[in-house]
Amino acid sequence: MLLLLTLLMMCFSPSILGQLEESKLGNVGDIDYDLADFELDIAPRRVPRQVKTLLTKQTKPHIQELSIKTTIISRYAFTAVYCAMLNRHTNAAEGVFHFQIPAGAYVSNFTMIIGGRVYQSEVMPKQKRVKQENGKPKNKESGDASSEPEVEVFRMAASIPGRNRAIFLLSYEELLQRRLGRYEHVTSLRPLQLVSRLSLEVTIVDHSLITDLQVLPLRSGRTNSGSSTSSGSNAPKTPAKLEPPVTTVVRNENNVCRITFSPTIIQQAKITTNGNLGDYVIRYDVQRDMGIGDIQVLNGHFVHYFAPKDLPVVPKNVVFVIDTSASMVGTKIRQTKDALFTILKDLRPGDNFNFISFSNKIKVWQPNGLVPVTPLNIRDAKKFIYMLVPNGGTNIDGAINTGSTLLREYLLGPDVNPNSVSLIIFLTDGRPTVGEIQSTTILGNTRSAVQEKFCIFSIGIGNDVDYRLLERMSLENCGMMRRINEDADASAMLKGFYDEIGTPLLSDIRINYTEDSVQYVTQHLFTNYFNGSEMVIAGKLTNQSIESLHVQVTASNNDKSIILETDVPLKQREIETEKHVKAATAAMAAGSKALGSIAEDFVERVWGFLSVKEGLRSRFRSQTSKDREYHIQQATNLSMTYHFLTPLTNLVVEKPEVLADGTMAPAPTITPAADEDKPSSSLSPANELPGDTEDGKPQKPDGKKPGRPSSALSNKPGKVERRPAKKSVTISKTSADGDPHFVVEFPLSKLTVCFNINGEPGHVLRLVSDHKYSGVTVNGKLIGAPAPPGSHKTQRTYFSTITIVVDHPKRAYIEVTPKKVILDGRDRMVLPCHSTVSVDSGVLSVAIVGKSNVTVTVGGNISFVILLHQYKNPAPYQRDHLGFYIGNSKGLSNNCHGLLGQFLSEEVGLSKLPAEGDVKPSQVLKVKNRSVPVVQKSRRIYSGTQSVNCWFAKNNAAKLIDGQYEDYLMSHMFDTGDWPHGTNRV
């Protein structure tokens, strides 16, 4: 610990040292980064003279440490990257963080720590970026991503003050795809310079036994992640004994495998002196049982992995459409021919095939249709391939139309196997230059020609390809697209891609679950299933109390239909999944604490990941603009919810301002309260709000209380200006706390009303909505937990995050979780919840009483208090959560809305309905000309220290609230959209 503190003192300015010392950066995004995970070894090392020379010649900041930690839970990979960069010079220098991620992955967080300040990213919808461009501060920037449809390289440049250090934290997530019977995980090690301390750690935790584990030699060459994954899978079969990279250590025990790689700077220099070590590739598979597949259940979500084997091969009808334009001359056409010669050898008896070449002209090998696989036809096909000569332009539209017509007419013939699989394999290295060149027209022509009779699989070679066109062409026609880089081995990759789709085992696969038991299920209809691949489906359970889930799989195989079905015991599967997650958490606690907090939600994140992917595919397949906009909005909302950087979002991060002398521009200083145990202002005695202690028991009334800080911040860094204590803040009973239980106090009517909201985990609820007037919006996100034994409920829900967004006089926000508070006012700050600190950012001020509560003040007449409910040893049904209380609402307008806000300016009345027949007399609450049946209850508030008698409205507050519960669901935590039905007035 002394070593770590010494390092932090070297890295960070005093203004944030105390914060980081206590919080170790705290919870960033969805991942708890812990600087202890990245503890540095600063002992001096002997470095050869040649290496020292290389380092001294560097003018850019030096990467002192690059640490990459990945945890793969049931094929879903979480990766955290830590990069420490030092500017040795006295002047400021630009540090460029550059990291290559797999093309199928989504960045889920990026944070910088520069000059002792924390700059955390935000995910913003892309369509809003244009509107905000002029108003966005000049020192804010979006994380760079490839202009292609899928992200490949994350790049962020920032000025580092002289003699100072910058830390970059990146996290991303991906679902590993199974290809040719194995999963492949690729980590790019290309820091572009020698690194003092380089380490990679990959932990694999799976429900099933891990088999066929292999660590390949470093794979060099420029490969993007999409092709790197495939290039490994698509490469020729590797010899059985390939030595892993030097310093690699593999430990495999009890379904947990840990691989580490930590070359010294000398060992790096022996591999390469430019820092491009290459791809670190791990391949493996898991043991699987025959039958319905592997289903895992956790927190109201399920994920279903289905990869049948030992089935007879289905015959295929395939047309190869090959680009022979002038740009294919040389290596491209030679490697393409080599791959096609090899593919011809792998065609099976029963398959039917044909070849088409295209440039300006289109040539068909067998104009009368597809031909069967015979020695004579194979020999003639080789002659056709051998005679291909590149020349002319690129007529993509004509080639696709010719191939589609040829295959479609063949399928109408009498000799076609009705269960055979039909496909076009289309290869090009350029954009359309001959015939139709408009992408939208080409796509429309392709749909008309294919008529949903077969699939198109496309391959793009080089840098001049319209990958967006190829991707849409494949996705709209049940296929997929693969990229081959300019300098890659096109022959091996083309052959490998064919291997993936060359052995169909099933067609027309449909996976169904018990009706009314699941919802929001991702793709469950599949055109084809190829040997060595895997189908993954995820969804939500509508009722977590049901005992079993009926699963049925129907498909066609060769000349017969297949039906597989079984009842899955959900409780048993959830117990098994929880056990599996505990193993993952234990593994991560030993190797990467930064990723431990996400293990409990991995099934939900798989669902979110797949749902975003499906939304992106669906937008391409949409036939109308309305349908397209719907899928775009759905995918955008999910991207915001899970903080994913996708083609529909930007990752925006504020950048530090560095002055001309190389120093940081001044920023507000974080100051602790003068006396943590005795804040100068507090709640009135009748309204004390003690928090929960670590053991889950409420504090006694003399515990710490929230209030305004006794000291506030001046604009000059390093100086604290004393201010007189302000009078007590009186907190009303109007709140949302617990399960969540809502309480509304009507002082004018001398009544208190209460109600429950039974939402779903992940839902974002609008609590206060006054965006148009005072500019204040409050949203709360729900987290789920099992119900206690004997409870009538199936689950409990709590608030895990609360955001308060202010738009007047300028935009600012506070995001509160049980572990941290993110304040984005003058500067972005991350404050730990276990310390007592106070910050005034101008628009917003926040006062934290450690492990107790957070008081947020907007201006002088709006305040909210958020209770911190934390447990040291929580029971299974307990979760760290928040309680939300309205302290002062005078600054909110009469048009304020939201689940709580709509009642702040209302008056209510109580009347009694007389008995009729056997019906007993009952109480009715009069709200906005509505009659709401109520019963009297007692409810505990303020962490259980007080009881309040209230009139309870049943059925999710039906008739009490305007509209219905679904009207208060927001798309993301920073959604400030207005109430859809106007104000709360009727």
Side-chain angles (χ1 to χ4, degrees):
M1 178 57 74
L2 180 61
L3 177 64
L4 178 59
L5 293 178
T6 303
L7 176 64
L8 289 173
M9 292 177 67
M10 295 170 61
C11 294
F12 301 108
S13 68
S15 65
I16 204 166
L17 178 59
Q19 168 196 351
L20 290 180
E21 180 183 5
E22 292 187 355
S23 68
K24 299 180 183 176
L25 193 57
N27 186 304
V28 178
D30 290 305
I31 296 182
D32 287 330
Y33 286 100
D34 192 330
L35 291 183
D37 290 341
F38 307 107
E39 190 167 342
L40 309 184
D41 176 11
I42 58 175
R45 298 183 180 183
R46 299 179 64 88
V47 180
R49 183 178 302 170
Q50 296 89 335
V51 176
K52 282 186 178 179
T53 303
L54 287 171
L55 296 178
T56 54
K57 288 183 178 179
Q58 285 184 359
T59 57
K60 57 186 179 182
H62 173 62
I63 299 177
Q64 289 186 304
E65 180 176 16
L66 179 62
S67 174
I68 306 161
K69 297 190 177 185
T70 297
T71 300
I72 305 172
I73 309 175
S74 286
R75 307 131 217 191
Y76 192 69
F78 300 91
T79 299
V81 182
Y82 171 97
C83 178
M85 200 175 289
L86 176 66
N87 177 14
R88 294 189 176 97
H89 306 287
T90 54
N91 296 326
E94 184 179 66
V96 180
F97 174 73
H98 176 282
F99 198 85
Q100 187 172 299
I101 68 170
Y106 288 147
V107 169
S108 53
N109 185 76
F110 177 70
T111 301
M112 300 186 296
I113 307 174
I114 299 177
R117 299 182 205 161
V118 179
Y119 302 88
Q120 186 176 347
S121 63
E122 276 186 78
V123 170
M124 305 292 288
K126 255 188 183 174
Q127 57 266 33
K128 294 183 181 179
R129 183 183 180 185
V130 177
K131 297 177 184 177
Q132 295 178 349
E133 192 70 33
N134 294 331
K136 189 173 66 175
K138 292 181 179 179
N139 62 330
K140 281 200 174 185
E141 183 172 306
S142 297
D144 283 346
S146 166
S147 60
E148 300 298 344
E150 295 192 74
V151 177
E152 295 176 358
V153 175
F154 185 92
R155 182 183 183 275
M156 180 63 70
S159 293
I160 305 176
R163 302 288 182 180
N164 217 313
R165 181 175 306 189
I167 292 176
F168 302 93
L169 301 169
L170 173 74
S171 64
Y172 60 88
E173 302 174 22
E174 64 173 318
L175 179 65
L176 301 186
Q177 293 185 354
R178 188 170 184 258
R179 292 172 176 162
L180 299 177
R182 286 180 295 184
Y183 304 98
E184 181 174 280
H185 181 265
V186 180
T187 306
S188 176
L189 298 175
R190 294 177 172 85
L192 305 182
Q193 60 174 269
L194 297 175
V195 178
S196 297
R197 291 172 290 276
L198 174 65
S199 64
L200 168 67
E201 179 181 295
V202 179
T203 303
I204 305 171
V205 184
D206 208 284
H207 179 70
S208 305
L209 183 67
I210 298 169
T211 62
D212 302 327
L213 181 69
Q214 186 180 25
V215 181
L216 303 185
L218 286 171
R219 191 165 64 200
S220 59
R222 194 187 79 81
T223 60
N224 64 32
S225 295
S227 57
S228 67
T229 301
S230 54
S231 62
S233 298
N234 295 338
K237 288 185 171 58
T238 52
K241 292 185 179 180
L242 283 178
E243 292 298 324
V246 62
T247 77
T248 294
V249 177
V250 179
R251 299 182 180 89
N252 194 349
E253 183 179 357
N254 295 332
N255 295 11
V256 177
C257 178
R258 182 173 290 115
I259 301 104
T260 57
F261 174 63
S262 52
T264 64
I265 196 169
I266 301 169
Q267 291 166 325
Q268 296 171 49
K270 288 180 180 179
I271 299 171
T272 177
T273 57
N274 63 9
N276 286 321
L277 299 177
D279 292 326
Y280 194 91
V281 183
I282 299 170
R283 291 180 185 163
Y284 73 97
D285 197 16
V286 297
Q287 193 174 79
R288 60 191 78 243
D289 298 325
M290 289 293 292
I292 209 71
D294 180 20
I295 295 181
Q296 299 187 33
V297 181
L298 192 65
N299 294 339
H301 291 77
F302 74 92
V303 59
H304 182 188
Y305 303 93
F306 184 52
K309 58 181 181 178
D310 299 330
L311 295 171
V313 177
V314 175
K316 61 182 177 291
N317 311 305
V318 56
V319 176
F320 297 90
V321 182
I322 308 300
D323 187 348
T324 56
S325 60
S327 56
M328 287 286 291
V329 70
T331 302
K332 291 180 185 177
I333 193 67
R334 186 181 69 252
Q335 291 183 338
T336 300
K337 288 181 179 182
D338 290 343
L340 292 176
F341 288 145
T342 306
I343 289 171
L344 281 173
K345 297 178 184 177
D346 291 344
L347 290 174
R348 296 181 178 87
D351 291 345
N352 295 277
F353 70 107
N354 205 337
F355 283 92
I356 294 174
S357 67
F358 72 97
S359 55
N360 288 47
K361 298 179 180 180
I362 298 170
K363 297 179 181 179
V364 181
W365 170 52
Q366 296 289 344
N368 295 326
L370 279 66
V371 297
V373 174
T374 64
L376 182 61
N377 286 336
I378 294 294
R379 185 192 66 183
D380 290 344
K382 287 182 178 179
K383 290 180 183 179
F384 177 80
I385 295 168
Y386 182 77
M387 297 301 292
L388 295 178
V389 178
N391 62 76
T394 308
N395 188 354
I396 289 178
D397 185 63
I400 287 291
N401 184 66
T402 301
S404 299
T405 302
L406 192 74
L407 184 52
R408 192 180 65 246
E409 291 179 351
Y410 171 78
L411 294 177
L412 297 175
D415 300 327
V416 177
N417 185 328
N419 290 325
S420 60
V421 169
S422 301
L423 53 128
I424 287 178
I425 297 180
F426 177 79
L427 181 144
T428 184
D429 77 328
R431 299 171 180 268
T433 60
V434 177
E436 181 57 60
I437 61 173
Q438 294 297 324
S439 296
T440 53
T441 306
I442 294 174
L443 292 170
N445 293 342
T446 301
R447 284 194 300 269
S448 299
V450 171
Q451 297 178 7
E452 298 184 352
K453 303 293 185 183
F454 45 84
C455 302
I456 296 179
F457 295 84
S458 56
I459 303 117
I461 302 179
N463 303 324
D464 299 325
V465 181
D466 186 347
Y467 284 112
R468 184 177 179 83
L469 171 62
L470 294 190
E471 182 184 40
R472 289 196 60 177
M473 184 185 297
S474 295
L475 290 177
E476 289 178 5
N477 297 282
C478 69
M480 58 185 175
M481 183 268 293
R482 193 60 48 80
R483 307 182 190 192
I484 301 178
N485 283 321
E486 196 77 41
D487 56 356
D489 185 350
S491 177
M493 294 187 68
L494 177 56
K495 172 59 171 63
F497 185 50
Y498 172 80
D499 287 343
E500 288 184 41
I501 61 178
T503 310
L505 300 183
L506 296 173
S507 61
D508 300 324
I509 306 104
R510 177 185 294 269
I511 302 177
N512 293 322
Y513 305 92
T514 308
E515 192 174 356
D516 299 330
S517 294
V518 298
Q519 61 182 347
Y520 306 118
V521 176
T522 58
Q523 180 185 357
H524 62 104
L525 303 175
F526 300 86
T527 307
N528 301 302
Y529 168 72
F530 299 102
N531 187 40
S533 63
E534 184 174 58
M535 290 170 280
V536 185
I537 309 98
K540 291 186 176 183
L541 299 172
T542 57
N543 184 358
Q544 295 187 53
S545 64
I546 59 174
E547 294 296 325
S548 64
L549 182 69
H550 187 74
V551 182
Q552 182 188 66
V553 179
T554 60
S556 297
N557 168 255
N558 204 348
D559 60 349
K560 61 182 179 181
S561 296
I562 293 177
I563 300 178
L564 300 172
E565 54 186 330
T566 189
D567 289 319
V568 178
L570 291 179
K571 295 298 181 185
Q572 179 185 337
R573 291 297 171 93
E574 182 154 25
I575 292 171
E576 292 173 355
T577 306
E578 287 176 347
K579 182 179 178 182
H580 161 196
V581 167
K582 286 181 180 178
T585 306
M588 286 186 281
S592 177
K593 285 180 274 187
L595 298 171
S597 65
I598 54 181
E600 294 181 356
D601 297 322
F602 93 91
V603 176
E604 180 184 349
R605 295 194 74 82
V606 172
W607 173 82
F609 183 91
L610 288 175
S611 296
V612 171
K613 292 283 186 184
E614 185 173 322
L616 294 174
R617 288 193 300 267
S618 297
R619 67 174 174 151
F620 288 142
R621 292 194 288 259
S622 301
Q623 300 299 309
T624 65
S625 58
K626 183 178 180 181
D627 193 32
R628 174 179 168 81
E629 286 303 314
Y630 170 78
H631 291 299
I632 288 175
Q633 189 60 48
Q634 290 292 97
T636 301
N637 291 345
L638 285 167
S639 300
M640 300 285 290
T641 298
Y642 293 99
H643 209 264
F644 286 154
L645 174 59
T646 70
L648 301 176
T649 56
N650 285 318
L651 202 67
V652 180
V653 61
E654 186 176 357
K655 299 175 71 174
E657 295 184 26
V658 180
L659 303 178
D661 60 359
T663 62
M664 295 279 290
T669 308
I670 301 172
T671 58
D675 188 338
E676 291 191 357
D677 291 325
K678 297 180 180 180
S680 59
S681 61
S682 64
L683 302 173
S684 59
N687 290 323
E688 292 176 343
L689 291 182
D692 290 348
T693 59
E694 288 189 351
D695 60 3
K697 297 178 180 179
Q699 279 184 310
K700 295 180 180 179
D702 61 352
K704 298 176 183 177
K705 306 161 192 155
R708 295 185 181 272
S710 59
S711 59
L713 306 176
S714 69
N715 291 326
K716 297 180 180 180
K719 293 185 179 181
V720 177
E721 181 182 343
R722 300 287 297 184
R723 293 182 183 178
K726 297 184 179 181
K727 63 181 182 181
S728 300
V729 179
T730 302
I731 303 301
S732 73
K733 301 181 180 69
T734 301
S735 59
D737 204 346
D739 195 6
H741 301 314
F742 287 74
V743 176
V744 179
E745 187 177 27
F746 296 92
L748 297 178
S749 307
K750 296 183 179 180
L751 288 174
T752 301
V753 178
C754 51
F755 58 93
N756 295 346
I757 291 294
N758 297 317
E760 293 291 332
H763 281 180
V764 177
L765 303 183
R766 171 62 50 80
L767 301 178
V768 176
S769 177
D770 201 29
H771 175 72
K772 280 189 175 181
Y773 302 95
S774 66
V776 175
T777 303
V778 182
N779 295 326
K781 184 177 182 180
L782 296 178
I783 188 175
S791 173
H792 66 282
K793 294 186 177 182
T794 58
Q795 68 171 356
R796 308 176 85 180
T797 50
Y798 305 95
F799 285 117
S800 64
T801 309
I802 288 174
T803 56
I804 301 170
V805 181
V806 179
D807 278 300
H808 302 322
K810 65 175 186 177
R811 185 175 175 85
Y813 75 81
I814 285 180
E815 180 178 352
V816 182
T817 73
K819 292 184 179 179
K820 65 173 172 55
V821 175
I822 299 174
L823 168 63
D824 190 343
R826 291 196 193 108
D827 283 81
R828 185 185 305 277
M829 302 179 187
V830 180
L831 310 173
C833 284
H834 61 258
S835 299
T836 299
V837 296
S838 60
V839 176
D840 186 350
S841 71
V843 182
L844 286 168
S845 64
V846 58
I848 304 175
V849 177
K851 299 181 181 179
S852 179
N853 49 68
V854 178
T855 300
V856 179
T857 305
V858 185
N861 53 6
I862 302 174
S863 65
F864 307 109
V865 176
I866 300 168
L867 298 193
L868 306 172
H869 300 288
Q870 299 175 351
Y871 303 93
K872 186 174 183 180
N873 298 303
Y877 52 86
Q878 291 175 321
R879 296 282 189 274
D880 287 354
H881 64 281
L882 305 172
F884 176 77
Y885 291 76
I886 295 180
N888 186 353
S889 62
K890 291 181 180 178
L892 297 172
S893 75
N894 290 336
N895 293 311
C896 182
H897 210 268
L899 284 169
L900 289 175
Q902 64 184 288
F903 300 112
L904 297 178
S905 301
E906 292 294 336
E907 292 188 38
V908 296
L910 191 67
S911 61
K912 192 171 185 178
L913 292 180
E916 292 185 8
D918 296 334
V919 180
K920 296 180 180 180
S922 60
Q923 298 287 346
V924 173
L925 196 71
K926 295 291 186 179
V927 182
K928 307 174 194 176
N929 298 322
R930 298 192 296 262
S931 296
V932 186
V934 292
V935 295
Q936 196 161 20
K937 277 195 174 185
S938 176
R939 177 151 288 174
R940 298 186 69 79
I941 57 175
Y942 307 149
S943 299
T945 59
Q946 286 192 28
S947 293
V948 57
N949 294 321
C950 59
W951 293 100
F952 180 74
K954 301 179 181 180
N955 302 324
N956 258 17
K959 295 186 179 181
L960 176 67
I961 59 176
D962 291 337
Q964 54 189 357
Y965 163 72
E966 287 75 15
D967 295 327
Y968 298 85
L969 296 182
M970 300 296 106
S971 59
H972 55 84
M973 290 298 292
F974 300 94
D975 189 340
T976 57
D978 296 323
W979 164 248
H981 308 300
T983 71
N984 61 337
R985 301 296 178 186
V986 295

